[in-house]
């Protein structure tokens, strides 16, 4: 889902934010007559434009403004949850079809952990999703070495105090299979460093595989291949906003932009390998 915040911006800032070039490059194109506003050639970079009402054409292409973008990513192993890294490939590197250049992962998954990750530039929503005060569930599928028992589930429910000093809030451990290797679902309402791995290691059941499948009411789309992503639907975004009691700056859906993005909203995108 891409959401437009109605505001007035300098024309050069508008174009820069939408990835048309650096501020200096955009200014040069304006001086060359490559930019029009509502059918008229723009002459000044500092001209104010309305992000909702004005039609901006840049070098023959209509440029729609996206104030906020929300992507569901099925994170693969081997990729780090960061905006940039000098040595490692990041989750942002996987997002190829974005208007915004200020995206970040809402929370993090370990390099070897897979599954649901929300990529956005909406800091307020991300904060509310991740704040322990909001008690937003994060659900994970886990496979461990060793036999998970009812006693392990009870320990999770009571809250663990680990040997390394980490105090864990009560959590849910739903055992699915139990044997030499066991499978379960874990539901947390916090997200401390390596928390699930540390909790299960404390119980003598080291994690072999970990995948996040849900954040609040946002479920990992089962049709998304590992490493693929798509825009959130309008319904998914609204459900997340309602869940976290979003009360900040009003967001209005840009009709022009919604029509333009309609075909993309339910389409998965495979990253360039």
């Amino acid at each position: 889902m891409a959401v437009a915040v109605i505001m007035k911006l300098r024309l050069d800032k508008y174009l820069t934010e939408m990835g048309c070039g650096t501020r200096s490059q955009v200014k040069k194109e304006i001086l060359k007559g490559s930019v029009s506003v509502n059918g008229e050639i723009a002459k000044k970079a500092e001209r104010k434009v309305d992000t909702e009402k004005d039609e901006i054409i840049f070098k023959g292409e209509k440029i729609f403004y996206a104030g906020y973008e929300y992507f569901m990513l099925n994170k693969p192993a081997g990729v780090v949850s960061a905006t940039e890294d000098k040595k490692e490939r990041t989750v942002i590197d996987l997002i190829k079809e974005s208007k915004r250049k200020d995206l970040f992962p809402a929370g993090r998954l370990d390099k070897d952990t897979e599954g649901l990750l929300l990529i956005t530039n909406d800091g307020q929503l991300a904060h509310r999703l991740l704040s322990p005060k909001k008690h937003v569930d994060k659900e994970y599928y886990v496979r461990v070495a060793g036999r998970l028992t009812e006693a392990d589930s009870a320990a999770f429910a009571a809250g663990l105090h680990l040997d390394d000093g980490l105090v864990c809030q009560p959590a849910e451990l739903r055992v699915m299979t139990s044997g030499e290797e066991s499978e379960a679902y874990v539901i947390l309402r916090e997200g401390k460093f390596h928390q699930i791995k540390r909790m299960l290691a404390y119980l003598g059941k080291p994690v072999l595989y970990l995948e996040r499948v849900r954040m609040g009411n946002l479920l990992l789309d089962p049709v998304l291949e590992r490493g693929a992503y798509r825009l959130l639907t309008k319904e998914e975004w609204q459900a997340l906003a309602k869940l976290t009691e979003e009360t900040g700056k009003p967001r209005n859906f840009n009709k022009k932009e919604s029509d333009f993005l309609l075909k993309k909203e339910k389409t998965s995108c495979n990253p360039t390998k």
Side-chain angles (χ1 to χ4, degrees):
M1 184 68 214
V3 178
V5 178
I6 299 175
M7 64 177 81
K8 288 193 174 183
L9 296 176
R10 284 176 55 118
L11 178 58
D12 55 351
K13 179 176 175 62
Y14 179 113
L15 293 170
T16 300
E17 288 192 3
M18 293 303 97
C20 295
T22 65
R23 188 70 71 94
S24 61
Q25 289 171 337
V26 164
K27 286 182 177 179
K28 288 180 181 178
E29 293 298 335
I30 293 172
L31 290 174
K32 288 166 57 178
S34 303
V35 182
S36 67
V37 179
N38 300 328
E40 296 181 358
I41 299 298
K43 299 179 180 179
K44 295 182 178 181
E46 63 271 22
R47 173 177 178 170
K48 292 294 181 71
V49 294
D50 188 305
T51 58
E52 167 69 15
K53 297 178 181 178
D54 290 334
E55 181 181 77
I56 314 299
I57 305 294
F58 179 80
K59 299 174 72 172
E61 179 183 354
K62 188 178 296 187
I63 306 298
F64 297 95
Y65 187 79
Y68 295 95
E69 287 187 315
Y70 306 86
F71 292 93
M72 176 189 295
L73 171 68
N74 189 345
K75 178 190 173 298
V79 179
V80 297
S81 298
T83 55
E84 58 183 353
D85 192 285
K86 293 181 179 179
K87 297 181 180 180
E88 306 282 357
R89 195 179 189 197
T90 74
V91 293
I92 301 303
D93 293 332
L94 300 180
I95 308 297
K96 303 298 184 182
E97 298 184 4
S98 170
K99 289 173 174 287
R100 304 291 314 191
K101 304 303 177 184
D102 54 354
L103 297 176
F104 60 87
R108 66 183 302 278
L109 295 175
D110 294 339
K111 183 178 177 180
D112 61 347
T113 298
E114 299 184 329
L116 175 64
L117 195 59
L118 176 65
I119 307 294
T120 184
N121 63 322
D122 188 340
Q124 185 179 56
L125 178 64
H127 173 73
R128 289 173 178 272
L129 277 174
L130 301 172
S131 172
K133 295 180 181 179
K134 292 296 180 182
H135 306 294
V136 176
D137 290 347
K138 287 85 176 176
E139 185 170 359
Y140 300 79
Y141 163 78
V142 62
R143 187 171 72 251
V144 303
R147 185 179 298 276
L148 288 172
T149 67
E150 291 184 5
D152 295 324
S153 296
F156 264 63
L160 294 174
H161 190 162
L162 308 188
D163 292 337
D164 60 11
L166 177 65
V167 178
C168 303
Q169 295 179 7
E172 184 177 350
L173 176 67
R174 265 197 340 267
V175 179
M176 308 303 292
T177 65
S178 184
E180 290 185 8
E181 291 186 4
S182 301
E183 298 173 293
Y185 285 96
V186 174
I187 299 177
L188 300 178
R189 292 176 180 83
E190 56 182 346
K192 297 174 181 175
F193 184 63
H194 293 326
Q195 183 170 348
I196 293 177
K197 294 176 181 177
R198 292 161 71 185
M199 293 171 75
L200 287 163
Y202 175 78
L203 297 176
K205 317 291 167 62
V207 170
L208 301 174
Y209 176 77
L210 187 62
E211 176 190 28
R212 182 156 64 193
V213 296
R214 179 172 65 87
M215 286 182 69
N217 48 23
L218 183 63
L219 301 175
L220 179 61
D221 190 334
V223 307
L224 272 186
E225 296 179 2
R226 200 72 71 196
Y229 65 93
R230 66 164 172 80
L231 288 163
L232 293 193
T233 65
K234 181 177 179 179
E235 292 73 23
E236 287 170 334
W237 178 84
Q238 288 176 328
L240 276 182
K242 182 177 181 181
L243 174 72
T244 58
E245 299 176 352
E246 189 80 341
T247 57
K249 186 184 295 183
R251 289 154 171 69
N252 293 288
F253 296 101
N254 186 319
K255 178 63 167 61
K256 297 186 298 181
E257 184 178 58
S258 295
D259 291 344
F260 178 73
L261 292 170
L262 186 60
K263 294 181 181 180
K264 292 186 178 181
E265 284 197 333
K266 295 186 178 180
T267 302
S268 63
C269 305
N270 290 312
T272 303
K273 298 183 179 178

